[in-house]
Amino acid sequence: EGEELLFVLEGTMKFLLGNREHILEEGDCIYFDSGIRHFGESGGRKEAKCFMVIYTSPAEDRSLKS
């Protein structure tokens, strides 16, 4: 459970989100639900550098949903 944000600082990323492929270049950003299957890798000759923020609610908040 949670949310994620990926920001590409340098290079190119090939990013799979669910069954869709996204090509992210320097300056691009993607925001998504962490529950969706996802995977990323450098997509060019130069290694990609990214900044990623991952948010999950505190355990006590998750227990209220049960």
Side-chain angles (χ1 to χ4, degrees):
E1 290 184 19
E3 301 166 65
E4 298 184 38
L5 177 129
L6 172 77
F7 181 83
V8 181
L9 298 169
E10 294 180 11
T12 302
M13 286 279 303
K14 181 166 66 170
F15 195 79
L16 302 171
L17 182 59
N19 58 3
R20 294 191 61 195
E21 179 179 287
H22 302 270
I23 303 300
L24 305 173
E25 304 205 11
E26 187 173 320
D28 288 343
C29 163
I30 190 166
Y31 174 78
F32 56 94
D33 183 312
S34 298
I36 300 171
R37 183 178 52 91
H38 56 282
F39 174 78
E41 64 184 358
S42 290
R45 289 177 277 164
K46 181 180 177 183
E47 185 175 309
K49 292 184 182 177
C50 300
F51 175 77
M52 186 163 223
V53 177
I54 302 170
Y55 170 79
T56 56
S57 60
E60 61 271 12
D61 289 350
R62 289 194 301 264
S63 67
L64 295 175
K65 295 179 184 176
S66 301

